[in-house]
Structures are given as C-alpha cells and as structure tokens.
Amino acid sequence: MLKSKARWKVETQPKERVEQLVDKLQVAPLVAKLLLNRGIDTVEAARRFLYKEEMNYHDPFLLDDMDRLVVRVKEAIEKQERMLIFGDYDADGVSSTALMYEALTSLGAHVDYYIPNRFTEGYGPNEPAIRQAKEDGVDLVITVDTGIAAVDVARVAKEIELDFIVTDHHEAPPQLPNALAIVNPKKPGCEYPFKGLAGVGVVLKVVQALLGRVPTEWLDIAVIGTVADLVPLVDENRLLVMEGLQTLQETSRPGLIALKKMCGLDGQVLQSDHVGFGIGPRINAAGRLDSADPAVELLLTNDSDEAEQLALEIDRLNKERKSVVATIADAAIAKVESEFPANENEVLVIAGEGWNPGVIGIVASRLVERYYRPTIVLSIDAEKGLAKGSARSIEGFDMFAELSKSRDILPHFGGHPMAAGLTMNVTDVDELRARLLQQAKEGLTEEDFKPVTKVDLIATVEEVSVSVIQQMERLAPFGVNNPTPKVMLENVSLSQMRKIGSESNHLKVLFSQAAANLDGIGFHLGYLFEQMTHQAKISAVGTLSINEWNGHIKPQLMLEDLAVHTWQLFDWRSAQQAKLKERLEGIAEEERLLVVFQNETIDDLALHDLDVTLAQNVRTTDDRYLVLLDAPKHLQQLKELLKKGKPNRIYVVFHQKEDHFFSTQPNREQFKWFYAFLIKRTIFPLNQSHDLAKHKGWSKDTVEFMIKVFCELGFATIEGESLSVVSNPEKKHLEDSASFRHRLEQTKIENELIYSSYDQLKLWFEQELEYDQMKIKETV
C-alpha cells in the first residue's frame, strides 16, 4: 500500500449527457465530462464556452447606477473638473487604477490617482485622504476595487460637498455608503447577469459605457487584475482573459514589456498561470512592502528606460517580499513545532510581534499547506495593543462562520469560508485560540485533516492522446471555477520506474494498460521510488500535457499524487547488508515494524540502535509496514506471526547464516541404498566417506548427514573412527530423526521463502493472510 497525500474526490457525470455532448460537439468523451463538471450541460452552453466567436461582453448599463456614473463623469470632463481615482494596493487595485486613469486621460479628463499606504492608512477610502482631496480642489472621487463599505467616508464626502462614486466588486455589507453612484455587480438589486467581475473588470465596464465600445486596447491591463484576484474564469471573465492574454502577449506598453522580460516570459505564449504566478505577485509586492505607486507608474509609463528601472524595483521588492515571507514562515513554523504542535491543535493561531501585516496571508497559506489545519497568523503591534491577522481554512471549516461566533472579541473582521482578515486586541488572542480549538473539535473529524484533491475524471491510458489533450486545452484559460483538469489513472501497471534529476529527486514512470503506454513525470516525487514495487497496480492523479522533444510529440501525465490501494511486497532478499540499515531507516519510523525470529540476527546485521521486536512479542501487524529481517527456524513461526493482523506492506530480508538449499537433500532411495551398504559392511571407516561420496556422485555433506540421521535413529553408532551398524534396531521412520526433520523444514523454508520467485512468494503470503489482492480501504 501507498497512501495518497490527499483524499481524492472524483467527479461523476451522467452517461447520457456525456454521449449527447460527444455526438453534437464531436469532442472526446473526456472533454465532454470536463464540460459537465463545470456545469456546462447543454450543447448551446458548451459552444459558448468553447468557441470565442460565441462569447459576448454584457451591456455595461445593466449595472445599477452606471447611467448616473457616466453622466457625472462626462460632465466633469466637459467642465474640466478635477477627478481623483481612489485605488487599492493589490494587483487588482493597481490595474484598476491604471486602467481608469488611462481611459479618463484619453477622454481629456483632469484626473489623478491615490492609493493608500497599507501600513499607515490601511484598506479602503479614509477620511483624512478625502478631506485632503477636497483641499486640493478635487470635485469628484471615484473608487476602484474598494469603497463598498465606506459608509463613514461617503458621509464625510457629502458634508464637505465632494461628489463620491463607488466602483467595486466585493460583497456588499448590510449598509451601503450614501454615494452619488455605486457600480458593483454584487450590489443588492443589481440585475447584471454576471457577478464574478474583478475590480478591474468593473472598471472595464465603466470604460465600455463611457466609450460606447469594448476597450480592447486596455485588456492587457485588465487581464492582470482579473487573474491575480482569483475571480471565476467563466462567463465574461473567460472572454476578457482569453483576449487579454493575447493583448498582453502583443503589448507595446514599455512597463509590461519590461515586466514580462523580468519574469522570463519574453516570446512565450502567455497563459493565465504566467500572470498568476509571475506578473501578479510582482505587482502585489510593491503594496505589500511599501507604497503601490511604483506598480501603477510601471503600467502607465511610456518611457522604456523608466519602465526598466521600475521593473527592476518591482522585482527587487518581490525578492524582498519572498525573503520576508520566508523569515516569518520559519518563525511561525518554529512556534508551531515548539508551542502548538499540529498533532495536538486542530486550529493554528500563531502570533508574532512586528511581523509584516502585508505578507501574513501568504504565511497563513504556507502553514495550511504544511500542516493542513485552519490557520490564523497575527501580526502584533505591542504599542497599540492590537493584533492584525489573516486566516486561511480547509474544506469543512467555514472560517467566516466560525469567527462570527466570536464577534464579541473581534471588533473588525470579514471574509468568506476559506479566508478572512481580522483585527483584535492582543489580550484576546488566547481566548480566540481556545474557542476555535473547541469549535474544531466539535465540527471536524480525523478524516477532515487530510487534504482534498478534486479529480475531474478517471481516464484509461488508452484514452489519453495528443489530440485529446489538445481538445482539453480549448477549455483554457484555467483558473477559479475552471481549474486545470485533474485526471486520475486507476490501477494501472508500471512498465518502467526510475529516479531522475541531478539529485535523483524526481520520478519518471511509464504506465501501461491494455497494450497502451503513457509517460508520467513527478517533480520532487523521487522519494516514492522506494515506496512502490514494479509489480504494484498504481493509481495516479495529475494534469495532462504534451511533451515535445527532439521532434517527437507525446502525451504525458504531470504527477501530483500516487497511491497503491493493495498491500505490497518489497523483496530485499538480495539487499547488500552494508546498506540495509540505511534502507531500513528510510521507512517511516511510525509505520515500520522490524521483526526477527532469532535474537542473534540483531548482532549479525548491527541493528542495535533500531527498535527491533522478536516475532513472539509482536502484538499486531495491522496497518504496519512489516519488515522480516530473518527467516524463521520453523515455517509455523511465520504463519503464527501473520495471524496477528494484515500489514499494509511486507519487506522481506530473510537474513540467514547458512543455507541448505544447495546442499543435497538425500532422498529415501539414497538412504535405503546406504543402509543396505552399511549392513553388508557392518563397520564403515569414516575416513572413507569422501571416497564413497565420489563413487556415488554425492557430496561429502550428504554422506555425513545420512550418518548423523542413522545415529539419531539408533541404526548405527560411531565408535572411534568407525561407524558400526546396530543389530536388530527398533523400527523407525526417517522423520523420527531431529536432524532429518530440521533439514526437511529448512529446505522447505528456503524453497518457499528464500529462493522462490517474487510472484511465488507473494502468492504464498496472500494465501497465508487469506486475501486475494487485499484491498486497503481508502476514500477516493
């Protein structure tokens, strides 16, 4: 058995729906299943999803208050009133600010932008900034990617006669700000057909309304915030990202050209992951560590030299951000290990003084990845007595709902089931931890603490081909609500398996099933090489890709997780004794059960510092990795051990000092001939044993063994240097001789355990353990 890292949750699809899409769309069954998994269950919806020419941008005026916004902005442009764009410091806020600024500038507006400092001002519009804008002569403030909760700021704006417009995409609170216009698809009562726009998506709709057309020239900016903010890549966002990636690839903006070069994306066909893991984090880095202004300037500049300098600065900040994250993560992990061990704490609440609040969300995610526990990481401001935190959760633990039970000690918090932000008094941190631990004890089971991987479909090796993968790629761009498809191979054979890479830390396999083959590559999975046998039936989860190398094009599975759901037999009978201890230490200590039948084996193998158990003292072998270090003296000893449970794995070493397999085991005819020979001679000189053996074609050991048996049976005695036959001995069977029985038993043991083939030995264990390819219960 090999346990998977995660619980595999496999999607299922109605057969008749699959067949309908296959027939009407002429797509592979695997593609039809993927469409159904995404809720696309009609031919018309599938065509709109797959074919760009079937997609459309919605009418921006379906957004509530859009007409009021357009009238006021056009009036401000016409009167040359001063406008201020109030943005946010993340990638969505930065791209929203840049897009709105460029669009308004192109229309002749007198406009500037302002992004608050995360550390000195916090999130969202604030009163001092609004009052300063009024003093500076600003007539109209427009928020982007923020403002939906700015009730107090909107009230102040009204008092000082400053027009205030909100454009946002976040969830609306119970009380909305009293603004001139609120444009937000999630605004209660808004009938806009798609609620999943990012902040920059809302800005794009505003610009579309102002221009009377889709502003395709700014899609290279819009795609950044849309992908980076992890909004659903379906409906209108899907079209935006498809066209945006193409525009970004061909962009003439010096800032984006420099940033792509800094990310190593020059000349590449851009995909959503390039934005999500390359461009987005760099733009985010500025606002996480300091001011987000350089990121906005990078998107707006028309000067190539300035763009290169800004890109270098952004990249430096991103490297610094990584360093800060690593430092805080190490400190947080140390606190977990020393103060709040994960195996004793269902929820992790970890706090540190002076931790950068701009990156604690990333640190919380790291801890969830490492420990798979709902996690809150808090940055403590000792001077103010406050703790600012970011929370990340696991499936089954609704973080927002659980935090809502502690509103009395959480004056400021918000979020959703998987993530939240909060501010609280330092004195209440321990109380929050205690409450969440109790809530987790009551609401979570042991199974909940194993990660979940959602598997889109089960495929056979034969179903996977280059053409099918190319069809799957038509579902791109991938992201939230349209993830990169996870594919599972179930119980397939391994034709090849080896470790690759300069450090042998990667795994390369060749899967085989029904005469079809498929390559598999597992980066950083080299350690699994020692945990699977070549004979095992493997289940694997990963993503499909096309491997182009040296003119050859082949499909391959990029491995993420592997499992063997049956017990496994590892044959170490020919293992080098010098490396045995090292291999034994490579088996997880909590899983392994090292067993000997003879105490002297521990000395022979120099295993004094390992926990080794005598077979007779073993209580249970259930769910353990049973390591049989030596062979039993009697087969029954091993059979008795195997009655004590069903191990997940059996490793056989079967060390022994001497073997009898290659010693001649005399048959009954040989015994009969030799006894008759002795009766005729009456006395046989022992120094003639060698000559007799040579004459009969036996080994000297064979002759000596038969002499020993005859003596034990009382058929002969040794007197000095001769063997004398006993006259009229008691009638006995060969089996009455202890030496004969021992040799028979040892030969049988060696025949069945030591020198049998792998398949013969595995069959022997299966028969003794009374299972037929024992299935280990595993949630899939």
Side-chain angles (χ1 to χ4, degrees):
M1 179 185 180
L2 171 66
K3 295 178 182 177
S4 58
K5 292 183 293 185
R7 287 177 285 149
W8 299 346
K9 189 174 180 181
V10 183
E11 299 281 351
T12 58
Q13 308 85 14
K15 184 179 179 182
E16 61 278 5
R17 292 276 183 88
V18 173
E19 291 173 349
Q20 182 187 30
L21 292 181
V22 168
D23 179 54
K24 298 294 184 182
L25 298 172
Q26 294 298 295
V27 295
L30 295 184
V31 175
K33 291 175 181 179
L34 289 174
L35 290 168
L36 290 169
N37 287 354
R38 284 144 179 74
I40 303 165
D41 55 2
T42 66
V43 173
E44 294 73 22
R47 286 201 174 102
R48 286 196 301 272
F49 190 85
L50 292 174
Y51 305 113
K52 199 173 89 170
E53 56 270 21
E54 300 281 343
M55 304 176 194
N56 289 297
Y57 291 100
H58 301 303
D59 181 352
F61 287 99
L62 293 175
L63 282 158
D64 194 36
D65 278 356
M66 182 65 84
D67 51 350
R68 298 179 67 183
L69 179 151
V70 169
V71 168
R72 181 65 185 93
V73 168
K74 286 185 174 180
E75 180 187 356
I77 293 171
E78 184 180 341
K79 294 180 178 180
Q80 281 296 286
E81 294 178 287
R82 289 194 63 185
M83 287 186 274
L84 180 70
I85 301 164
F86 199 105
D88 187 29
Y89 36 67
D90 67 1
D92 189 17
V94 166
S95 53
S96 298
T97 302
L99 198 161
M100 184 71 89
Y101 181 85
E102 283 225 342
L104 292 179
T105 302
S106 73
L107 291 170
H110 185 24
V111 63
D112 202 351
Y113 65 84
Y114 182 86
I115 295 181
N117 186 287
R118 179 193 292 265
F119 304 100
T120 59
E121 297 175 80
Y123 172 77
N126 60 81
E127 183 176 337
I130 293 298
R131 289 189 180 278
Q132 185 62 51
K134 181 65 177 178
E135 287 182 22
D136 293 342
V138 171
D139 300 293
L140 172 62
V141 170
I142 305 174
T143 73
V144 293
D145 189 35
T146 187
I148 193 64
V151 175
D152 292 337
V153 172
R155 176 181 51 76
V156 171
K158 205 167 193 64
E159 288 175 1
I160 61 177
E161 298 182 344
L162 175 63
D163 284 350
F164 189 72
I165 291 176
V166 172
T167 75
D168 201 352
H169 74 116
H170 293 97
E171 297 291 343
Q175 183 182 359
L176 296 178
N178 184 14
L180 179 66
I182 299 176
V183 176
N184 183 340
K186 294 175 183 171
K187 176 183 176 183
C190 179
E191 296 181 359
Y192 194 72
F194 180 55
K195 307 297 183 182
L197 292 171
V200 73
V202 176
V203 171
L204 191 75
K205 304 309 294 184
V206 169
V207 177
Q208 182 184 353
L210 287 168
L211 296 179
R213 61 176 177 82
V214 177
T216 54
E217 63 267 43
W218 290 300
L219 287 176
D220 52 354
I221 295 177
V223 71
I224 295 171
T226 300
V227 172
D229 214 51
L230 300 178
V231 292
L233 295 194
V234 295
D235 201 284
E236 198 167 22
N237 283 341
R238 178 169 170 78
L239 179 57
L240 188 161
V241 173
M242 289 175 78
E243 295 189 336
L245 288 172
Q246 185 64 38
T247 308
L248 181 58
Q249 189 161 324
E250 300 167 355
T251 188
S252 59
R253 296 180 194 281
L256 289 178
I257 291 171
L259 191 55
K260 285 196 297 178
K261 185 177 179 182
M262 193 63 64
C263 296
L265 300 176
D266 241 2
Q268 287 200 39
V269 176
L270 293 183
Q271 299 175 353
S272 55
D273 279 356
H274 293 134
V275 176
F277 296 105
I279 294 172
R282 284 171 170 79
I283 290 178
N284 266 324
R288 287 189 186 280
L289 298 183
D290 198 356
S291 167
D293 286 355
V296 180
E297 292 165 16
L298 177 69
L299 298 182
L300 295 178
T301 185
N302 291 313
D303 185 285
S304 296
D305 292 335
E306 183 185 24
E308 286 193 15
Q309 290 303 312
L310 286 168
L312 278 170
E313 174 63 11
I314 293 291
D315 191 60
R316 183 193 67 77
L317 287 169
N318 190 50
K319 289 174 180 173
E320 184 182 341
R321 186 268 305 170
K322 289 180 179 179
S323 176
V324 171
V325 168
T327 300
I328 297 175
D330 288 344
I333 289 168
K335 279 180 175 284
V336 173
E337 301 291 344
S338 62
E339 301 176 40
F340 308 102
N343 60 348
E344 299 175 10
N345 290 268
E346 292 83 359
V347 177
L348 299 177
V349 180
I350 309 299
E353 189 172 338
W355 287 354
N356 186 320
V359 301
I360 54 177
I362 300 174
V363 175
S365 295
R366 294 271 179 92
L367 294 187
V368 172
E369 287 173 13
R370 185 181 181 102
Y371 300 109
Y372 202 69
R373 297 283 188 275
T375 299
I376 300 176
V377 177
L378 296 146
S379 172
I380 293 175
D381 185 332
E383 189 176 325
K384 295 180 180 178
L386 294 177
K388 184 175 182 180
S390 283
R392 299 291 183 269
S393 198
I394 63 175
E395 192 164 310
F397 192 83
D398 186 327
M399 185 61 79
F400 182 77
E402 298 300 335
L403 287 174
S404 296
K405 299 173 184 177
S406 293
R407 289 180 183 273
D408 58 312
I409 57 173
L410 293 175
H412 304 288
F413 83 97
H416 52 81
M418 299 303 287
L422 56 96
T423 302
M424 64 188 302
N425 293 322
V426 171
T427 52
D428 291 327
V429 170
D430 289 341
E431 175 63 20
L432 178 64
R433 181 185 294 112
R435 291 185 187 183
L436 290 175
L437 283 172
Q438 186 58 38
Q439 289 162 217
K441 287 180 190 295
E442 295 170 358
L444 295 175
T445 66
E446 185 178 345
E447 187 75 1
D448 290 322
F449 293 108
K450 187 172 183 181
V452 174
T453 294
K454 293 182 179 177
V455 178
D456 283 281
L457 45 88
I458 298 174
T460 64
V461 172
E462 195 174 20
E463 284 181 292
V464 179
S465 65
V466 169
S467 63
V468 167
I469 296 173
Q470 288 171 336
Q471 285 188 43
M472 285 184 175
E473 289 173 349
R474 286 163 57 188
L475 275 71
F478 298 115
V480 177
N481 284 21
N482 183 33
T484 302
K486 292 276 199 317
V487 177
M488 175 179 168
L489 302 178
E490 193 171 31
N491 295 325
V492 296
S493 299
L494 283 177
S495 290
Q496 298 174 23
M497 177 172 62
R498 59 192 173 95
K499 290 193 279 190
I500 59 173
S502 58
E503 298 178 5
S504 295
N505 58 336
H506 309 309
L507 185 70
K508 182 174 176 62
V509 300
L510 181 65
F511 296 113
S512 298
Q513 189 180 41
N517 295 320
L518 176 66
D519 285 330
I521 299 289
F523 290 109
H524 306 292
L525 295 181
Y527 67 95
L528 292 177
F529 178 83
E530 298 287 351
Q531 300 190 44
M532 297 182 292
T533 65
H534 283 78
Q535 296 83 0
K537 293 291 187 181
I538 307 295
S539 293
V541 168
T543 57
L544 293 171
S545 66
I546 295 173
N547 180 28
E548 298 184 39
W549 182 78
N550 205 22
H552 297 284
I553 300 177
K554 293 197 302 183
Q556 66 182 5
L557 183 67
M558 306 306 294
L559 301 172
E560 296 181 7
D561 204 356
L562 292 164
V564 178
H565 298 304
T566 59
W567 81 285
Q568 291 191 86
L569 174 66
F570 290 82
D571 190 353
W572 287 9
R573 290 175 292 182
S574 58
Q576 295 180 25
Q577 188 171 326
K579 295 184 177 181
L580 177 61
K581 185 178 178 184
E582 181 184 342
R583 294 185 74 180
L584 292 173
E585 290 173 334
I587 305 173
E589 187 173 0
E590 66 275 10
E591 303 275 10
R592 73 184 182 221
L593 176 60
L594 306 180
V595 174
V596 294
F597 292 94
Q598 291 88 40
N599 260 325
E600 55 266 29
T601 301
I602 300 174
D603 297 324
D604 293 344
L605 299 177
L607 301 178
H608 304 285
D609 53 346
L610 295 183
D611 186 12
V612 182
T613 306
L614 262 175
Q616 63 197 52
N617 296 331
V618 172
R619 297 181 62 184
T620 179
T621 61
D622 271 333
D623 300 324
R624 300 297 297 275
Y625 296 170
L626 176 62
V627 184
L628 299 172
L629 292 168
D630 58 8
K633 286 188 175 180
H634 304 286
L635 211 52
Q636 189 59 33
Q637 291 176 303
L638 178 55
K639 292 183 178 183
E640 289 298 323
L641 176 65
L642 297 178
K643 289 178 182 177
K644 296 180 179 181
K646 286 183 167 56
N648 290 338
R649 299 181 190 174
I650 297 177
Y651 293 78
V652 291
V653 179
F654 287 152
H655 168 77
Q656 56 178 7
K657 280 188 174 180
E658 58 183 40
D659 60 55
H660 302 84
F661 189 80
F662 295 108
S663 301
T664 303
Q665 172 69 18
N667 58 39
R668 294 182 185 274
E669 288 302 316
Q670 290 170 322
F671 272 104
K672 184 177 178 181
W673 183 92
F674 189 29
Y675 188 55
F677 170 79
L678 291 175
I679 290 174
K680 286 180 182 178
R681 297 283 297 269
T682 309
I683 295 174
F684 174 69
L686 294 177
N687 60 9
Q688 294 182 13
S689 296
H690 178 72
D691 293 335
L692 177 64
K694 188 176 181 181
H695 171 71
K696 295 296 292 182
W698 299 340
S699 68
K700 185 181 177 185
D701 176 69
T702 300
V703 175
E704 291 174 350
F705 176 68
M706 287 192 286
I707 290 171
K708 186 176 183 181
V709 171
F710 289 150
C711 289
E712 288 180 4
L713 293 173
F715 294 172
T717 59
I718 295 175
E719 298 174 2
E721 297 298 322
S722 298
L723 181 70
S724 300
V725 177
V726 175
S727 58
N728 300 317
E730 182 184 346
K731 188 176 181 179
K732 291 182 180 178
H733 299 286
L734 288 173
E735 288 78 9
D736 291 329
S737 162
S739 294
F740 184 85
R741 291 197 307 273
H742 177 70
R743 176 70 70 89
L744 208 60
E745 178 78 4
Q746 287 307 111
T747 302
K748 184 178 182 182
I749 287 172
E750 291 176 4
N751 201 15
E752 296 194 10
L753 303 183
I754 311 299
Y755 299 110
S756 54
S757 69
Y758 178 92
D759 291 336
Q760 288 171 333
L761 184 60
K762 192 163 192 285
L763 179 61
W764 186 91
F765 275 111
E766 285 174 349
Q767 289 171 341
E768 290 301 323
L769 289 164
E770 297 180 350
Y771 52 47
D772 178 16
Q773 288 297 308
M774 181 182 75
K775 292 286 183 181
I776 305 294
K777 290 184 179 178
E778 181 78 3
T779 303
V780 179

